[in-house]
Amino acid sequence: YVELLVSLLEGDARICSTCAPFMAFESEELERAMRESGAEGVRVFGGYADQPFDRAKSVDLVVVAEKRA
């Protein structure tokens, strides 16, 4: 499962969180989908401490991106 956190960069400081079953996606597919939807600055990490993503070793896949309204 993927936990999706969405935070507005301006104005309201609320953070929305949801989980979704994305286990079939590879990191490259998620990056591409985010870019195609208008996201910028897409970065992929292997955990919440910004460690590099390694498909064979990483337990987590963390994708960070920005999308301007």
Side-chain angles (χ1 to χ4, degrees), residues 2-41:
V2 170
E3 181 175 10
L4 174 63
L5 298 173
V6 178
S7 175
L8 299 176
L9 297 176
E10 299 172 1
D12 193 346
R14 290 180 298 165
I15 296 177
C16 301
S17 174
T18 187
C19 289
F22 285 135
M23 294 180 75
F25 287 98
E26 295 288 337
S27 62
E28 295 84 6
E29 292 173 302
L30 287 173
E31 283 184 82
R32 183 175 50 254
M34 288 183 159
R35 290 182 202 284
E36 288 174 356
S37 71
E40 300 174 352

